[in-house]
Each structure stands twice: as C-alpha cells, then as structure tokens.
Amino acid sequence: MTSIKTVVFDLDGTIYQDITFHQHYLHYLVQGTKWAQWEAALVEFVDLVFAGQALHMNEFYRTTVLNPRTPGDFFSALEELRCPSLTYDQALCRRDVIYLGDGWAVVTLIGDALGLLNGERRDRVYRLARRHMEEQGMEGSVTLRQAVQELSSVYKVILMSNSPADTALEFLRQLGYHHLFPIICSSANKPYEMIEKLEEIDPMIFAEPQRVLSIGDHAFNDLMPIKQKGGRTVWLNPFPNIQRAECDLELATLDDLAGYLNDLTNQAVLRS
C-alpha cells in the first residue's frame, strides 16, 4: 500500500469530542421564542437521534420551515424530510438539503425547521453555544496532542475547519492546541471548496491522491471530497448505534485516534 504523505484533520468532533453540547445549543436556540417550552422535548429527541432511534444519521434531509402544533407532530414531520438516496455529486448541487453527519447538523436541521436560524441569528446561537462550552472549561487530550506533534515531524499535517479564523483559533487555544498544527485553513467551506483550498496550500497535493488521508467526523464535509479524489479516509464516530458512513477506517474515541496516529508515525520512521 502506498504510504501517506499528507494528513488533513477536521477540528470540532475530530480533535475534540463533546456529545452533550446540544443541550445548551438548543437552550439558546429556543430561548425567548414561542418554542421555549419545547426545550426538554428537543433535547430528548436529539438524544434519541444519537442513539440511533430517531432520524437517520449519515443521510440527507430537506431543509424547510415547519409549523407544528406539538413536539410529536414536529418530530414526525422531520422524519418525512429524509431525502431519497443522493450521490455525492448530486448533493453538491443541492443547497436545500443537509447531511446529518454530526451533532451540529442535527441541531441545525431542527433550528432551520423551526425558522429560528434566519439571518444573523444562526451565527449568534452558534457563538453562544461555543461560549458556553468555553466557560464550562475545555481540555484537550494530552495523548492526542503528543501524537499530532510526532505525526507532524514526518508528514505534512493540515487542519481544516469551517469555523471562522477567530473562532477556530480560540477553540484551539482553549484546548491547548494553539501551536499544534503547522498549517490551519479556517472558513474552509467544506465540502464545496475543500479540494480547491487544499490545492492552494499544496498545488501538487493530488498528484498522488492515494497519499492523502482525511480524518473527520462529518462524512460529507470531511471524507467524501477526499474519497472522490482517490484519497483515504478515517471516520471519527462516537455514536455506536447510528447508521455507518463509508470510510476506510472507523474510530470512536480520541484515544483511538491517538493510537492510530502513533502507528502512522512509527510506520514512517521505519521506512526512513
């Protein structure tokens, strides 16, 4: 098998995992709206999604505004928004769908369906949830930090995030990762501009696509663009009971990821 040359990391959900963030996101989403009394029901529903008992993770859903009378009506209507199977190329041409590739996508589908993410409110709710996470205290994985440091000595390592630069850099600082990644691409607009931005960083990156490895938790954003180019993929998935995404390797935890990165580093050292 051809050796890896470049490793591309996603940020949130990949080098940091939080499977309870939806609780405070949904609080800020409905706070001060007519849906405020639904907060507990919404949190419970998302818990069911993460448990594989509602909606279908790693599927596409139409985005539209609903006007339900009860939480039960709302959840039933969300189920009906599931799209027929779409190819990657078809999905790229559709701006009226969302891929439930991670927890953020699930709460975004809910927010859009309730009409609560219009205009600047989308960014405001996101930033409030982020601030709450920071105030609660976030700690990076020492084991993962060391693994990435050692990996960077033998491979080209790139961090790509859809978050704006200020948000991404503050997130890294909170985790103690602020000097960890040699190359950072923020506002990456994955998946739509992922390939283009990687080629801006390294025009020859896909001369040998099989030597590019993408690691992420959102298959549509992080993995499919690289898979389409002929690269390799590692999927971070903390939810054992959801529908699987297509990938070359699935890992569950940050410790799993650190162990895998250490193996990659050791392989490179042995070849040198």
Side-chain angles (χ1 to χ4, degrees):
M1 181 180 291
T2 305
S3 61
I4 297 295
K5 178 182 178 182
T6 302
V7 182
V8 182
F9 287 88
D10 174 47
L11 176 55
D12 194 14
T14 300
I15 62 170
Y16 177 74
Q17 292 178 313
D18 181 349
I19 59 173
T20 63
F21 80 91
H22 61 290
Q23 297 170 7
H24 42 267
Y25 181 95
L26 292 169
H27 170 75
Y28 293 119
L29 177 70
V30 300
Q31 186 178 44
T33 74
K34 65 179 181 178
W35 312 109
Q37 61 184 345
W38 287 18
E39 180 179 335
L42 292 171
V43 169
E44 182 178 348
F45 179 73
V46 174
D47 287 336
L48 291 174
V49 176
F50 292 169
Q53 298 175 27
L55 301 181
H56 288 78
M57 296 285 285
N58 299 303
E59 292 278 0
F60 289 98
Y61 283 74
R62 287 191 302 111
T63 55
T64 189
V65 177
L66 304 172
N67 190 28
R69 298 175 58 185
T70 68
D73 289 344
F74 179 57
F75 303 146
S76 295
L78 285 178
E79 298 280 1
E80 295 298 318
L81 297 179
R82 183 182 177 194
C83 296
S85 180
L86 295 175
T87 67
Y88 173 72
D89 288 333
Q90 288 173 332
L92 286 180
C93 298
R94 295 275 301 269
R95 294 306 175 101
D96 63 333
V97 299
I98 187 170
Y99 184 82
L100 296 194
D102 60 11
W104 291 101
V106 175
V107 296
T108 299
L109 174 67
I110 289 171
D112 281 333
L114 292 176
L116 296 177
L117 293 178
N118 296 322
E120 295 180 357
R121 199 171 192 279
R122 181 180 300 268
D123 184 62
R124 185 165 67 252
V125 172
Y126 172 77
R127 288 180 181 272
L128 284 170
R130 278 289 193 205
R131 185 185 307 165
H132 184 98
M133 294 168 68
E134 293 166 6
E135 291 173 351
Q136 291 292 106
M138 301 187 302
E139 294 184 4
S141 163
V142 175
T143 304
L144 181 60
R145 180 165 59 241
Q146 183 176 351
V148 174
Q149 286 175 337
E150 294 177 356
L151 187 81
S152 299
S153 69
V154 289
Y155 297 99
K156 175 175 282 188
V157 171
I158 302 170
L159 178 73
M160 298 194 80
S161 172
N162 281 348
S163 297
D166 61 336
T167 303
L169 291 175
E170 176 60 19
F171 196 57
L172 290 170
R173 188 193 66 78
Q174 289 271 342
L175 295 172
Y177 293 164
H178 48 299
H179 297 306
L180 185 58
F181 292 92
I183 303 171
I184 298 175
C185 176
S186 54
S187 300
N189 194 27
K190 299 180 291 183
Y192 306 102
E193 297 181 30
M194 184 179 192
I195 301 303
E196 175 185 342
K197 294 197 172 184
L198 284 172
E199 290 176 331
E200 289 175 0
I201 293 169
D202 179 359
M204 297 301 294
I205 190 170
F206 292 111
E208 298 178 282
Q210 70 276 16
R211 301 190 71 184
V212 180
L213 171 68
S214 184
I215 302 175
D217 67 314
H218 192 297
F220 183 56
N221 287 353
D222 306 323
L223 309 186
M224 292 185 196
I226 301 302
K227 178 62 73 176
Q228 291 291 307
K229 294 293 289 187
R232 290 185 250 175
T233 57
V234 173
W235 181 43
L236 264 290
N237 172 36
F239 308 118
N241 297 315
I242 66 169
Q243 180 169 289
R244 322 324 282 172
E246 182 179 350
C247 61
D248 294 311
L249 177 67
E250 177 181 341
L251 302 172
T253 70
L254 298 185
D255 285 343
D256 292 341
L257 177 58
Y260 173 74
L261 299 180
N262 287 334
D263 288 344
L264 281 183
T265 299
N266 292 335
Q267 291 169 21
V269 171
L270 290 173
R271 287 194 300 269
S272 63

